[in-house]
Amino acid sequence: MLRFILSRICLLIPTFFGVTLLTFGMVRLLPGDPIEAMLGERAVDPRWHAEMLQRLGFDRRLWEQYGKYIWQVFHGDLGLSVVTNEPVMHEFLSRFPATVELALVAMLFGMIVGIPAGIIAAIRRGRTVDHTVMTAALTGQSMPIFWWGLLLILFFSLHLDLTPVSGRLDVQYFIEQKTGFLLLDCLLAGDYDAFFSALHHMILPTIALGTIPLAIIARMTRSSMIEVLNEDYIRTAKAKGLRPWRVIVIHALRNALIPVITVIGLQTGTLLAGAVLTETIFSWPGIGKWLINSLDRRDYPVLQGAVLLVATFVMLVNLTVDLLYGLINPRIRHAR
Amino acid sequence: MKFNLLTASIMASLVLIPALSAEAKEATLVFCSEGGPESFNPQLGTAGTTFDASATPIYNRLVEFSPGSTETKPGLAESWTISPDGLVYTFKLRQNVKWQTTKDFTPTRNFNADDVVFSFERMWKEDNAYHKVSGGTYTYFAETSMPDVLKSIEKVDDNTVRITLNAPNSPFTNILALYSFSILSKEYADQMLKAGTPEKLDTNPVGTGPFVLVDYVKDSTIRYKANKDYWKGAPKFDNLVFSITTDAATRASKIEKGECHVMAYPNAADLPKLKADKNLKVLQQEGFNVAYLGFNVEKKPFNDKKVRQALNMAIDKTNLIKAVYLGAATPAVNPIPPTLWSYNKQVKDYSYDPAKAKKLLEEAGYKDGFETTLWYMPVVRPYNPNGQKMAEAMQADLAKVGVKVKLVTYEWKEYLKRQREGEHDMLQLGWTGDYPDPDNFLNTLLSCDAAKTSTSRWCDKNFDDLVVKARQVSDVKERTKLYEEAQKVFKEEAPWFTVAHSIVNEITRANVEGYKMSPLGSHDFQEVSLK
């Protein structure tokens, strides 16, 4: 097991360097000079231009720039935002909890709805329920988040007046940020009205962001369940006269969920990508919105830092899933 | 009877309780803004969102814009005198103006001359302890050439400041109204420096303005409370909240649902729906900008006035407004927007007349037309939503009078660089005003000084004399006359085809009163009330 863990961790190192190369290259290869791009039709004072270039370090040779960049990254220094002059790391940390909170809830939603839907579809394979679930899943999976989010607002907020349009909390509540996880912060502050307001605000973004993982989880659960249900030991269990729900929940589901866990892990990356759109539509103050704003303002240090941090996070999640998977399914860790 | 009394009293209390609590509840105005600020110090900012969040609610300037106009009026300076040679400005400062009290700072004195000197010196003097704090980039201070314009700034006494210039500069007082020239507290700055947290001056602001910053959750909400001690009188509501909503469609939904009272920049596509809503008011104004097609007069045949006039008649402006701006623009006649003072209403635009254009071209010796290039913008700007579409419409119009146009574009940086070097024949560009002075359009874009890099590279002695003189006199009436005359010369000489001033819309709830749109695109709530 130790060997398995070590080998997976070692694999991370080259991947991490690959990501640093990509983020480093991304900023340098984007067309246009950031300073020109910011000022546009205004003639730029050459003195100021040169000073800015120097501040961003773009005036040095490429390998020098990269060396300095790596050195800083390993010292936890991702540079300063050109726009706000705050450390990128600090800006990231102040927004990351909002994204994680939304992603977790969206994933939870996907699992709570997706897994039962998949099971039902598998049991009723080929019947109307199955077709309905699978059609819905396919539709959900191919729905552009941007459009879906606006549709949700239009229907639930404007037409039915059930949910707020956007934001994380009603303006009347004022919760001090302790952890950055708003639901937790509300509870810590003992303000239950605010807690419910926060939950209320989460409904639509959760549906918008959780629909794709939900659809994928449902489809995965279904196919994996169908496979397991055809196994001999299920037949044995049924033959022993066990109640159907016991066969399904205790015997089949445990094995059927193994591939589903992988899918859930892999979906983390997708969730973060989806967060960019969801956060924009619902004014959710997380890293997705931060990335979009930085792109708008050509805040290069932020873009570079944020992409690196997000990529690292996804890598770590994937590692965790890998390890968990090895833990659940011994065949994986012994396979060479 | 008893029962009835009971029911009546219960009913009455049911009606009364919400009424009472509604009265006790504080009035809050919510503004759905389009983005968060870069900083809370307007000296450092360039974005409208920064000025909206810092300069307008929190700070004041020596000179300020009247709400809803580009005219300026006394702000923290009660009055000023200008020496006859136009070099020395003496500002009499307003007394009894209180600094805000925040959790980091309790003022011990009122606003005075030290604050003014400090605020300027921070941007200007490299040896100022604050000059390098928070990046030390003062874009507008540099862009308005203040380091070259200013000679000295001195405190005469607590209520008087004297600013001496290197050369006469009549837009000077208008420039002082720019948000970047907000006045910061020296006492607060000193305290923060002593405490080793100078950057707090920029992140936890203290101003003299109508609202006090309470809290900022990045990308989400900015909260202010009304400054009860505000020198112009306390605002008419208790709390101001900026609900940062980047997506325009979401902003529209929020205002429709009543989650905000004022929203900036709606999508053109959402306007019909918003206009139809009885709970909303749609405000409209020409943007403080101009889009134009410049003719490079250094090149043939554009060195011929007749050709330029002919091209002005050959392009159907009304069609451009319809097709490119989808109606959200007004045709531009002059090179300055109609909301700017000294705009000359008497100037007549060339009417669309292909037959007459052809005739003029013939007179100029281009009976069969000519071949040329037209450069179109590769990016979207507030004054031009679609460069390519506009270029294609122009190309089609010009073809009708025999002018064969090849369309050209480059990556934005390259485009601007080549434009400055004068490689183009005809080129699309535009301008959004930096400060509300015709000087910022006419001198910046069309003077002989600018001709080395300007789009039309046009240097006309008559025009130049007028705008240069207007820069040197300080009497507004006389300046107005000179600028009006300059606009006439401009139209006659036609170095540009003036395209349009885009229209900017803002939406408020019907119960918002006293809100005026700013031609400069800022959002000011100090005179607003909620019905």
Side-chain angles (χ1 to χ4, degrees):
Chain A
M1 187 65 196
L2 190 69
R3 207 188 157 123
F4 170 71
I5 296 176
L6 280 179
S7 73
R8 286 296 141 120
I9 292 176
C10 282
L11 257 179
L12 269 192
I13 297 168
T15 321
F16 181 77
F17 274 100
V19 172
T20 57
L21 262 179
L22 274 177
T23 51
F24 175 82
M26 173 187 82
V27 167
R28 268 115 193 130
L29 295 177
L30 280 178
D33 170 340
I35 301 158
E36 292 263 356
M38 278 192 284
L39 290 174
E41 51 276 73
R42 281 161 174 74
V44 184
D45 185 343
R47 277 175 302 179
W48 192 61
H49 192 275
E51 194 193 304
M52 193 89 169
L53 270 185
Q54 200 192 355
R55 188 143 68 90
L56 289 170
F58 283 6
D59 56 339
R60 302 183 198 196
R61 267 174 294 188
L62 267 185
W63 62 267
E64 253 182 280
Q65 290 183 33
Y66 182 68
K68 191 172 169 236
Y69 171 58
I70 287 293
W71 175 259
Q72 285 179 331
V73 165
F74 278 103
H75 287 79
D77 174 10
L78 293 171
L80 297 178
S81 152
V82 180
V83 174
T84 63
N85 266 299
E86 276 186 60
V88 171
M89 190 62 118
H90 181 246
E91 296 227 330
F92 176 82
L93 291 177
S94 72
R95 286 158 171 109
F96 196 51
T99 303
V100 172
E101 187 175 51
L102 179 60
L104 278 179
V105 177
M107 190 47 99
L108 210 64
F109 164 73
M111 279 158 52
I112 291 174
V113 184
I115 293 175
I119 296 174
I120 293 169
I123 300 171
R124 303 255 174 247
R125 189 180 174 192
R127 310 221 190 132
T128 323
V129 186
D130 181 24
H131 291 312
T132 317
V133 170
M134 283 307 104
T135 313
L138 198 65
T139 317
Q141 203 182 331
S142 38
M143 192 98 78
I145 293 186
F146 212 87
W147 184 68
W148 180 220
L150 286 178
L151 220 61
L152 288 171
I153 291 181
L154 217 60
F155 188 68
F156 288 104
S157 304
L158 293 181
H159 190 68
L160 296 182
D161 199 13
L162 284 177
T163 49
V165 175
S166 82
R168 270 180 107 184
L169 197 62
D170 259 1
V171 290
Q172 71 193 80
Y173 300 110
F174 184 22
I175 298 295
E176 200 192 335
Q177 278 197 306
K178 284 197 179 120
T179 62
F181 297 97
L182 188 60
L183 293 176
L184 207 59
D185 282 343
C186 288
L187 291 178
L188 285 177
D191 191 336
Y192 298 106
D193 288 344
F195 178 78
F196 285 112
S197 165
L199 269 186
H200 197 198
H201 279 77
M202 270 200 132
I203 297 173
L204 293 190
T206 300
I207 299 177
L209 186 59
T211 299
I212 293 178
L214 187 162
I216 294 174
I217 289 171
R219 293 179 61 184
M220 197 67 207
T221 310
R222 176 183 175 270
S223 61
S224 153
M225 196 73 185
I226 288 174
E227 205 175 300
V228 172
L229 286 177
N230 287 331
E231 299 267 341
D232 290 342
Y233 73 94
I234 297 291
R235 221 168 299 152
T236 313
K238 279 184 188 163
K240 279 199 304 188
L242 291 178
R243 285 160 192 268
W245 70 264
R246 213 182 145 79
V247 173
I248 286 161
V249 176
I250 308 288
H251 290 80
L253 191 60
R254 246 175 76 178
N255 285 318
L257 277 188
I258 293 175
V260 177
I261 291 174
T262 323
V263 167
I264 291 172
L266 292 176
Q267 277 299 302
T268 326
T270 323
L271 269 183
L272 288 173
V276 173
L277 297 172
T278 313
E279 290 180 1
T280 306
I281 305 168
F282 292 99
S283 305
W284 198 264
I287 45 161
K289 210 175 143 205
W290 179 50
L291 263 173
I292 289 285
N293 289 349
S294 312
L295 201 63
D296 268 359
R297 296 166 169 179
R298 316 268 166 156
D299 195 338
Y300 288 74
V302 165
L303 282 177
Q304 188 171 313
V307 172
L308 181 67
L309 286 170
V310 171
T312 310
F313 178 74
V314 172
M315 274 166 19
L316 289 178
V317 170
N318 284 347
L319 174 76
T320 316
V321 172
D322 250 12
L323 297 182
L324 272 180
Y325 201 41
L327 209 64
I328 305 167
N329 192 348
R331 274 180 297 183
I332 298 287
R333 68 170 183 259
H334 294 304
R336 288 282 163 86
Chain B
M1 183 62 195
K2 211 176 180 180
F3 173 76
N4 279 346
L5 204 70
L6 191 69
T7 343
S9 56
I10 289 173
M11 296 239 318
S13 55
L14 279 180
V15 173
L16 275 176
I17 289 166
L20 282 174
S21 59
E23 209 167 36
K25 218 172 109 184
E26 294 195 315
T28 300
L29 184 125
V30 184
F31 169 52
C32 275
S33 69
E34 78 280 16
E38 305 151 308
S39 143
F40 279 97
N41 182 352
Q43 296 180 325
L44 297 161
T46 51
T49 49
T50 302
F51 299 139
D52 278 350
S54 63
T56 0
I58 300 169
Y59 294 104
N60 290 110
R61 285 129 311 271
L62 290 179
V63 182
E64 300 200 324
F65 301 120
S66 303
S69 100
T70 59
E71 271 161 47
T72 52
K73 59 172 189 187
L76 288 176
E78 217 165 34
S79 63
W80 53 89
T81 53
I82 307 168
S83 65
D85 61 0
L87 293 178
V88 183
Y89 286 67
T90 310
F91 292 92
K92 204 91 210 134
L93 305 182
R94 204 172 288 278
Q95 298 191 33
N96 302 321
V97 172
K98 287 193 169 58
W99 286 104
Q100 298 169 353
T101 303
T102 65
K103 66 177 195 299
D104 297 298
F105 177 65
T106 310
T108 63
R109 63 164 175 82
N110 286 347
F111 155 76
N112 71 26
D114 288 328
D115 301 315
V116 179
V117 174
F118 164 73
S119 302
F120 278 79
E121 286 192 340
R122 170 175 183 178
M123 298 190 278
W124 186 24
K125 301 268 162 124
E126 284 189 24
D127 59 355
N128 185 289
Y130 269 92
H131 188 72
K132 289 277 173 211
V133 172
S134 304
T137 314
Y138 308 99
T139 309
Y140 274 87
F141 191 74
E143 215 167 70
T144 50
S145 311
M146 280 300 127
D148 304 326
V149 169
L150 295 177
K151 189 172 179 194
S152 70
I153 168 159
E154 312 145 85
K155 166 183 177 175
V156 177
D157 58 49
D158 264 0
N159 303 313
T160 318
V161 169
R162 187 188 301 139
I163 301 179
T164 312
L165 311 184
N166 284 315
N169 186 311
S170 52
F172 185 64
T173 48
N174 281 339
I175 291 174
L176 291 186
L178 281 186
Y179 298 117
S180 296
F181 292 84
S182 292
I183 304 297
L184 279 61
S185 160
K186 178 167 196 297
E187 192 191 3
Y188 179 46
D190 287 346
Q191 274 189 21
M192 290 302 111
L193 198 62
K194 224 176 178 180
T197 51
E199 65 289 340
K200 273 202 174 173
L201 184 68
D202 306 325
T203 53
N204 302 18
V206 168
T208 53
F211 298 97
V212 185
L213 181 72
V214 176
D215 175 61
Y216 172 39
V217 181
K218 278 188 181 147
D219 294 342
S220 170
T221 24
I222 314 175
R223 285 163 193 284
Y224 308 87
K225 63 172 195 280
N227 177 6
K228 304 281 182 220
D229 296 325
Y230 186 47
W231 55 275
K232 280 190 218 171
K236 293 170 195 125
F237 51 90
D238 309 289
N239 303 298
L240 175 66
V241 175
F242 281 26
S243 176
I244 300 166
T245 314
T246 33
D247 184 57
T250 312
R251 281 201 299 279
S253 303
K254 285 187 85 151
I255 199 157
E256 264 186 274
K257 209 180 158 221
E259 286 180 23
C260 48
H261 297 97
V262 179
M263 81 164 267
Y265 312 110
N267 277 331
D270 289 330
L271 279 175
K273 192 176 70 171
L274 297 170
K275 275 183 187 160
D277 192 331
K278 281 202 185 69
N279 297 313
L280 303 178
K281 283 191 264 194
V282 178
L283 313 176
Q284 260 192 350
Q285 192 166 54
E286 285 96 357
F288 196 55
N289 60 37
V290 60
Y292 60 87
L293 178 75
F295 306 120
N296 186 347
V297 302
E298 280 180 354
K299 288 194 176 175
K300 270 193 161 180
F302 304 106
N303 55 348
D304 190 333
K305 179 166 101 181
K306 277 190 183 154
V307 173
R308 302 195 299 260
Q309 288 176 335
L311 298 186
N312 258 287
M313 293 174 198
I315 302 172
D316 186 353
K317 205 173 284 187
T318 327
N319 178 45
L320 289 183
I321 307 272
K322 238 191 292 176
V324 181
Y325 294 87
L326 309 174
T330 46
V333 179
N334 291 316
I336 63 174
T339 46
L340 182 58
W341 60 273
S342 88
Y343 181 85
N344 192 340
K345 285 188 192 129
Q346 310 303 321
V347 170
K348 279 251 167 346
D349 205 1
Y350 297 97
S351 50
Y352 175 56
D353 191 343
K356 203 166 164 199
K358 255 186 141 163
K359 221 177 114 204
L360 264 177
L361 282 177
E362 206 179 316
E363 281 174 30
Y366 297 96
K367 186 167 175 288
D368 302 319
F370 54 91
E371 282 181 27
T372 186
T373 62
L374 190 162
W375 292 23
Y376 66 86
M377 292 175 46
V379 291
V380 170
R381 290 273 147 174
Y383 50 77
N384 188 342
N386 193 335
Q388 188 178 357
K389 203 167 172 190
M390 184 185 288
E392 282 162 2
M394 287 173 165
Q395 185 186 37
D397 283 346
L398 292 173
K400 287 177 202 155
V401 298
V403 178
K404 277 201 203 90
V405 174
K406 203 178 130 214
L407 301 183
V408 176
T409 194
Y410 294 96
E411 185 268 318
W412 188 220
K413 179 192 169 190
E414 194 64 20
Y415 185 86
L416 294 170
K417 196 175 139 233
R418 287 173 188 252
Q419 179 267 128
R420 271 178 227 138
E421 282 160 13
E423 284 184 27
H424 56 284
D425 297 318
M426 295 190 280
L427 180 138
Q428 282 177 1
L429 208 60
W431 187 254
T432 304
D434 289 321
Y435 50 95
D437 197 295
D439 183 73
N440 184 234
F441 283 82
L442 301 177
N443 225 325
T444 310
L445 305 175
L446 291 156
S447 67
C448 288
D449 249 1
K452 291 186 290 289
T453 54
S454 74
T455 308
S456 53
R457 306 178 87 77
W458 177 67
C459 171
D460 182 277
K461 182 124 191 357
N462 287 336
F463 181 90
D464 199 58
D465 283 350
L466 289 164
V467 294
V468 168
K469 193 172 171 208
R471 186 178 218 178
Q472 285 158 358
V473 297
S474 46
D475 181 54
V476 178
K477 268 190 198 150
E478 201 185 333
R479 293 187 70 201
T480 304
K481 251 190 225 156
L482 292 165
Y483 286 132
E484 281 177 351
E485 191 56 34
Q487 290 167 67
K488 270 195 228 161
V489 177
F490 167 87
K491 199 81 246 183
E492 167 66 23
E493 292 294 323
W496 294 355
F497 171 79
T498 47
V499 182
H501 312 287
S502 64
I503 286 180
V504 186
N505 288 284
E506 271 174 41
I507 320 291
T508 72
R509 296 286 297 176
N511 64 343
V512 173
E513 281 193 342
Y515 181 75
K516 285 186 188 139
M517 266 181 97
S518 157
L520 300 159
S522 64
H523 301 91
D524 186 347
F525 303 105
Q526 59 177 306
E527 292 181 4
V528 175
S529 60
L530 290 167
K531 219 175 12 173

